Amino acid sequence: ISFIPYLFKRFQNFLPFPGRIERFTFYLLDYNLCFDKQVVYMAVVGSFPFNSFLSGVLSCIGTAVLAVCLRIQVNKDNKEFKDVAPERAFADFILCNLVLHLVIMNFLG
Amino acid sequence: MASPESAVNGPTMTAGAASKSLRNAFGGVIAFIILVLIGVLAFSIRLFSVIKYESVIHEFDPYFNYRVTQFLSKNGIYDFWNWFDDRTWYPLGRVIGGTVYPGLTLTAGTIWKVVNSLNIPLSVETVCVFTAPIFSAFASWAAYLLTKEVKGPGAGLTAAALLAMVPSYISRSVAGSYDNEAVAIFALVFTFYLYIKTLNTGSLFYATLNALAYFYMVCSWGGYTFIINLIPMHVLLCIVTGRYSSRLYIAYAPLVVLGTLLASLVPVVGFNAVLTSEHFASFLVFIIIHVVALAYYIKGILSPKMFKVAVTLVVSAGLAVCCAVIAILIAVVASSPTKGWSGRSLTLLDPTYASKYIPIIASVSEHQPPTWPSYFMDINVLAFLVPAGIIACFMPLTDSSSFVILYIVTSVYFSGVMVRLMLVLAPAACILSGIALSEAFNVLTRSIKFQLPGIAGNPSIASEENGSSTVVAPNDIPKTEEAAKEKPAKKNRKKEKENVEKKPTPSKTEKRLLVLPLEASVIAVLLLVLLGAFYVVHCVWAAAEAYSAPSIVLTSHSNDGGLHVFDDFREAYSWLSHNTDVDDKVASWWDYGYQTTAMANRTVLVDNNTWNNTHIATVGTAMSSPEKQAWEIFHSLDVKYVLVVFGGVVGYPSDDINKFLWMVRIGGGVFPHIKEPDYLRDGQYRIDAQATPTMLNCLMYKLSYFRFVETDGKGFDRVRRTEIGKKHFKLTHFEEVFTTHHWMVRIYKLKPQRNRIRGKTKKSKSSRSVSSKRDVRGKRNPWH
């Protein structure tokens, strides 16, 4: 039970990441919120334009996943990605996002 | 390039490095030349049918694809997406844009457009005929890339050479076989290559390419469900065996999201991408990998004791939620009768399903389980090399080699269910055989090289080995850059084999590599080369004799050795296109639907797409009924001509009389007044004097054997090898309009309704009594 305050304390120490990485957490939380809103809307209104619903939620999930991938690659503690420059990781991220949003735009209807 | 030159370390290090890079470059050039030759080989081994017959499209399905490509090239892509075809499945029509896998036709259409814009005047037919060989060359190159990622360039070249020639792949991609698998196998191997590459490098760029290649695969073939189930299985395997890494996450998670989106873009798949059970595995593993990733992340943050506490807390809370979700899911899935799987997938999972429930799927000859000889025919020597390759994959076991092992195991299972899926087994078998052969050659030539006189003793060789092999990371990621290539002292006999220094060596400190005795290795190398020679001979024979028949043109050898060509099918179709009106409807069994619409350009009732079982059962019932009932059925569908295929004069075994029992079964599945035992005498299917009266009176019998007795006076059927039962009869409701040269295709016209019907002009009372009598007498026949 003392685990919860302990976790909070660890998190306090943990949060001052190198600046860019800390923003990821909030970026992800934001997308999570967006996703939940869409699901609630669909549950309320009904899923008639199913492709729009699908593209909306999948875009949320997709960008969240890609952000996680970028964070994995940019994190300096991660020894498997030592030889990948963060600029290259970011460029890949941009490319992947571009393709994702192109597809979503097409699927939105 | 002799090895003593590079055995000197120290002061000549720069010279050694320079010679090493020169050797690297030389090896790269050789590899490139070999790949070009493999591409040429793959292309040219598929050209036998073009040389023997002509540049014609084979079989049945390719004719439909050809017709669609013609439409695409004439009308452009927007009309193609929105095309509603009213010349088939009369009177229902078919939404082509939404029910066809567009990858093949779009690819060929693009090639045609590009080539014509460069002012090279190739017709659509030529492009269609040669698409398959071109893409088989691409597929071999993709297999090279894939195996290079798994084991190394030597194995890659071997695997590519094997795939270029394997008979199973040749059978579906010969020049003229313009079918989905021609591009789909290339897409399959390429998608797997990009997945493995992403797994090895962990780069999002390759993950994007992987998703795009998967999109191309979804466009091309219904077999894409194999990919979307195999990759989650592999991810699960990696997680369970403790090989989880963040590269796995990067390889898998974007693929699922992007791949599902892209798959939903293809009209054939549409919302099935999220609604059918075939995709549920990917979503399930998606959730699992997120849970695992989160678990690892938290484990990295917390100390071990706290982690245990956190785990128990989370597990107890999460389990309750999980159970609720799973209960809901199971209720939803179980409420549908097929548990959410499509009929085709169910036939793969439960091999007895089709014969019980869907006779149409069971009747297709490609869907039967293969026999043991067909394995040897189709993958030949590879059947023996695959187990060796599996063992070679285990030392050492990396992510990519575990993927290949999983691929071969699942494809062996599926190929055991359906002959057609031997095609999916072929690339896996080639990859593993390539690995096995390459490893074997590596060990043997190393033994030979180190035991030839003139080489210094073992220790310096061993140190040279360590110096020239690249540094290997402690974990098992195979390096993707080329290491130094060692050319053996012996010259290579076969140009496809290339020897590469194998890496990663199991441990860096291994000083003494095992060598076999010199004589044994020489003999073993010779034997392996002989094995390869047998394989090549078999493949060329299979391509030339077994798989190059276009089946729309048949040949046989006459007594004096000349070639006799049976071109009856095309004769019949051109007669139809020249002598009938454009709007006339032609009824035949569904096998010939595609060819009739493509070549004769007439509307048909049913074709090879077989999506509407009831419509096919209607045609089957008509073929099994007596003349009058059949006439009424056809008349209600506006049919003007009936086409039957008959092989009794020349001995062509795949004619309609041999397929007739399937017509009875399929028709009887929907219309219960057609019973199969009515057509069998003592359980045997006969057409001679012992046949049942139902059989002798049915439309198929009459249309096949009308005037048959005039050919030889006795009515001896060469296929069934008996004389027919009913020899002299007249047709009352049909008239014969055309029979081809060898009597293989016979076309009949429906006689128009009589103007005066005898007996019907009496008072209505008697006609009512006549009709009521007919109802009571016949079994419940819906056509009265």
Side-chain angles (χ1 to χ4, degrees):
Chain A
I1 297 302
S2 66
F3 141 80
I4 296 177
Y6 174 79
L7 193 59
F8 269 153
K9 203 147 49 112
R10 280 301 300 260
F11 232 65
Q12 302 279 5
N13 292 344
F14 211 53
L15 221 42
F17 254 121
R20 327 184 248 181
I21 305 217
E22 154 186 339
R23 297 191 205 129
F24 271 117
T25 331
F26 293 110
Y27 181 62
L28 288 174
L29 280 175
D30 200 16
Y31 264 101
N32 248 328
L33 217 59
C34 192
F35 173 71
D36 294 335
K37 269 197 298 203
Q38 292 204 359
V39 173
V40 168
Y41 177 77
M42 182 215 86
V44 168
V45 172
S47 69
F48 163 57
F50 192 60
N51 53 337
S52 323
F53 163 68
L54 215 56
S55 70
V57 301
L58 281 179
S59 86
C60 283
I61 300 180
T63 36
V65 162
L66 292 177
V68 170
C69 291
L70 180 61
R71 186 177 194 276
I72 290 175
Q73 289 187 323
V74 167
N75 193 359
K76 290 200 190 46
D77 300 332
N78 212 334
K79 49 188 166 353
E80 286 171 355
F81 289 102
K82 252 194 309 228
D83 45 355
V84 174
E87 286 80 20
R88 161 85 198 268
F90 190 59
D92 288 344
F93 172 72
I94 298 272
L95 173 71
C96 212
N97 258 329
L98 210 64
V99 173
L100 177 71
H101 284 98
L102 196 67
V103 176
I104 285 169
M105 224 63 79
N106 196 355
F107 197 49
L108 212 47
Chain B
M1 300 293 162
S3 27
E5 182 183 298
S6 64
V8 184
N9 293 332
T12 55
M13 193 48 115
T14 47
S19 76
K20 190 169 81 166
S21 64
L22 186 63
R23 261 216 318 278
N24 267 347
F26 190 64
V29 168
I30 291 248
F32 179 71
I33 294 178
I34 292 178
L35 276 178
V36 167
L37 286 173
I38 288 177
V40 169
L41 169 72
F43 185 81
S44 39
I45 202 176
R46 286 163 167 79
L47 293 183
F48 276 104
S49 65
V50 172
I51 298 173
K52 279 164 71 165
Y53 303 95
E54 58 178 282
S55 160
V56 72
I57 297 190
H58 298 188
E59 301 270 325
F60 302 112
D61 278 0
Y63 272 100
F64 171 69
N65 295 325
Y66 170 55
R67 181 165 162 254
V68 174
T69 318
Q70 265 183 324
F71 185 88
L72 173 68
S73 59
K74 229 184 308 197
N75 300 43
I77 187 159
Y78 283 109
D79 283 342
F80 168 70
W81 277 136
N82 297 325
W83 186 19
F84 178 81
D85 188 17
D86 54 352
R87 296 189 72 80
T88 176
W89 292 94
Y90 186 83
L92 304 164
R94 177 184 170 186
V95 181
I96 299 272
T99 56
V100 80
Y101 280 100
L104 176 71
T105 47
L106 286 177
T107 310
T110 317
I111 295 180
W112 177 82
K113 194 135 187 250
V114 162
V115 157
N116 270 32
S117 67
L118 294 175
N119 270 333
I120 307 173
L122 288 182
S123 72
V124 178
E125 182 179 16
T126 317
V127 171
C128 291
V129 164
F130 288 104
T131 301
I134 293 177
F135 273 86
S136 65
F138 293 163
S140 334
W141 294 339
Y144 162 71
L145 291 170
L146 174 56
T147 321
K148 187 166 82 118
E149 284 302 310
V150 177
K151 267 295 177 181
L157 288 172
T158 324
L162 292 174
L163 185 63
M165 292 190 290
V166 64
S168 155
Y169 186 30
I170 289 184
S171 70
R172 303 291 302 200
S173 69
V174 78
S177 173
Y178 180 57
D179 208 353
N180 286 339
E181 288 91 351
V183 295
I185 296 295
F186 160 65
L188 182 86
V189 180
F190 197 56
T191 309
F192 283 155
Y193 157 64
L194 286 173
Y195 172 66
I196 296 291
K197 185 99 182 165
T198 319
L199 199 55
N200 285 343
T201 59
S203 145
L204 258 188
F205 171 63
Y206 284 109
T208 319
L209 287 182
N210 188 16
L212 290 175
Y214 172 66
F215 174 52
Y216 185 54
M217 179 71 191
V218 174
C219 283
S220 312
W221 197 31
Y224 74 91
T225 50
F226 182 62
I227 295 189
I228 202 62
N229 282 310
L230 183 64
I231 292 187
M233 248 199 282
H234 175 244
V235 169
L236 210 54
L237 181 75
C238 282
I239 291 177
V240 162
T241 54
R243 290 178 166 280
Y244 171 77
S245 64
S246 39
R247 283 171 296 116
L248 192 69
Y249 182 83
I250 294 182
Y252 183 64
L255 173 68
V256 168
V257 178
L258 213 52
T260 312
L261 264 177
L262 287 168
S264 339
L265 272 186
V266 181
V268 184
V269 177
F271 295 144
N272 285 346
V274 291
L275 293 178
T276 54
S277 296
E278 280 130 0
H279 289 87
F280 278 169
S282 56
F283 298 140
L284 193 67
V285 178
F286 186 62
I287 296 176
I288 290 180
I289 201 175
H290 274 98
V291 167
V292 169
L294 202 63
Y296 271 90
Y297 179 60
I298 296 188
K299 195 198 272 194
I301 302 180
L302 299 177
S303 72
K305 193 166 65 91
M306 281 301 143
F307 180 60
K308 275 206 208 34
V309 173
V311 160
T312 44
L313 198 70
V314 163
V315 162
S316 51
L319 213 59
V321 174
C322 242
C323 290
V325 166
I326 288 182
I328 296 176
L329 197 65
I330 290 183
V332 163
V333 164
S335 60
S336 85
T338 56
K339 313 278 178 296
W341 295 88
S342 75
R344 292 205 163 178
S345 311
L346 271 175
T347 56
L348 290 180
L349 295 175
D350 174 17
T352 58
Y353 178 78
S355 45
K356 277 188 280 184
Y357 296 107
I358 317 180
I360 283 196
I361 294 185
S363 73
V364 179
S365 66
E366 297 177 317
H367 291 181
Q368 306 304 322
T371 56
W372 283 111
S374 72
Y375 272 98
F376 191 71
M377 168 78 165
D378 273 350
I379 54 175
N380 208 27
V381 156
L382 308 184
F384 310 127
L385 291 175
V386 160
I390 295 181
I391 294 180
C393 277
F394 271 105
M395 35 191 213
L397 185 68
T398 66
D399 291 340
S400 32
S401 58
S402 69
F403 176 75
V404 174
I405 294 173
L406 198 62
Y407 177 25
I408 186 115
V409 168
T410 47
S411 56
V412 164
Y413 169 70
F414 284 124
S415 74
V417 177
M418 256 196 205
V419 164
R420 190 177 181 185
L421 295 180
M422 289 278 297
L423 183 63
V424 174
L425 173 64
C430 291
I431 291 170
L432 280 169
S433 317
I435 292 176
L437 270 180
S438 176
E439 291 283 315
F441 266 105
N442 194 43
V443 169
L444 292 171
T445 51
R446 194 173 60 211
S447 316
I448 294 176
K449 186 175 78 161
F450 290 155
Q451 292 183 49
L452 277 181
I455 309 286
N458 264 343
S460 62
I461 307 284
S463 67
E464 167 243 19
E465 289 255 310
N466 283 330
S468 60
S469 59
T470 54
V471 171
V472 174
N475 52 5
D476 296 327
I477 311 169
K479 275 291 195 256
T480 55
E481 290 93 32
E482 312 248 345
K485 294 202 216 295
E486 305 273 350
K487 302 219 5 129
K490 247 168 55 105
K491 245 170 83 133
N492 273 344
R493 292 260 184 81
K494 290 195 87 75
K495 49 187 194 258
E496 297 96 63
K497 308 289 189 286
E498 160 125 348
N499 290 294
V500 172
E501 182 61 35
K502 270 298 155 275
K503 64 200 171 310
T505 52
S507 74
K508 271 191 345 182
T509 57
E510 182 172 319
K511 285 277 179 201
R512 226 162 270 275
L513 300 164
L514 299 170
V515 292
L516 301 168
L518 178 65
E519 303 80 14
S521 352
V522 169
I523 294 177
V525 168
L526 284 175
L527 285 181
L528 277 181
V529 168
L530 206 61
L531 193 72
F534 279 138
Y535 175 69
V536 171
V537 164
H538 171 85
C539 293
V540 172
W541 170 84
E545 297 299 322
Y547 289 134
S548 284
S551 89
I552 190 161
V553 174
L554 307 160
T555 59
S556 74
H557 291 278
S558 62
N559 289 346
D560 52 356
L563 198 68
H564 193 80
V565 175
F566 298 86
D567 210 0
D568 285 42
F569 286 102
R570 294 198 289 179
E571 187 186 341
Y573 297 133
S574 67
W575 183 92
L576 267 181
S577 75
H578 286 144
N579 292 303
T580 61
D581 294 330
V582 176
D583 280 333
D584 284 341
K585 327 280 186 272
V586 178
S588 66
W589 192 234
W590 57 261
D591 290 11
Y592 316 108
Y594 280 157
Q595 286 183 341
T596 314
T597 41
M599 280 198 278
N601 201 20
R602 293 290 172 265
T603 312
V604 290
L605 288 190
V606 289
D607 68 14
N608 306 52
N609 193 30
T610 66
W611 64 271
N612 191 336
N613 194 24
T614 315
H615 217 52
I616 296 182
T618 313
V619 174
T621 310
M623 294 294 193
S624 330
S625 316
E627 252 190 277
K628 184 159 187 340
Q629 282 84 326
W631 185 93
E632 289 181 4
I633 296 176
F634 281 142
H635 188 68
S636 74
L637 288 169
D638 292 342
V639 170
K640 196 118 172 271
Y641 294 93
V642 179
L643 186 149
V644 295
V645 170
F646 171 59
V649 174
V650 291
Y652 174 60
S654 318
D655 64 351
D656 281 354
I657 287 283
N658 272 355
K659 293 179 192 161
F660 180 60
L661 271 187
W662 282 111
M663 299 188 198
V664 170
R665 280 178 198 140
I666 295 175
V670 178
F671 298 100
H673 67 273
I674 304 278
K675 299 200 214 355
E676 190 182 340
D678 285 347
Y679 297 86
L680 305 171
R681 167 79 67 189
D682 302 329
Q684 256 200 336
Y685 178 54
R686 320 171 66 123
I687 44 99
D688 53 10
Q690 299 292 323
T692 60
T694 330
M695 180 72 209
L696 291 176
N697 276 326
C698 73
L699 186 72
M700 180 53 70
Y701 180 91
K702 286 198 167 167
L703 293 187
S704 294
Y705 293 118
F706 181 60
R707 290 194 313 117
F708 178 52
V709 69
E710 293 170 20
T711 53
D712 60 349
K714 285 193 312 240
F716 183 74
D717 185 342
R718 286 227 175 107
V719 180
R720 266 62 59 177
R721 302 196 170 278
T722 60
E723 292 187 9
I724 60 176
K726 194 148 93 165
K727 298 189 188 173
H728 304 273
F729 55 89
K730 280 201 175 36
L731 290 177
T732 52
H733 289 73
F734 295 84
E735 58 175 327
E736 182 185 5
V737 285
F738 186 64
T739 298
T740 57
H741 186 207
H742 300 100
W743 286 60
M744 273 172 56
V745 183
R746 312 193 66 181
I747 304 183
Y748 294 84
K749 186 171 170 176
L750 262 71
K751 278 192 186 160
Q753 218 165 9
R754 279 187 288 216
N755 273 330
R756 263 186 68 210
I757 302 175
R758 275 179 293 179
K760 248 328 190 352
T761 55
K762 299 230 172 80
K763 272 42 144 249
S764 52
K765 191 159 59 148
S766 53
S767 70
R768 243 192 300 125
S769 65
V770 168
S771 61
S772 62
K773 242 201 295 193
R774 234 184 290 135
D775 266 327
V776 166
R777 193 183 43 195
K779 301 162 197 139
R780 211 96 43 84
N781 190 333
W783 296 102
H784 281 176

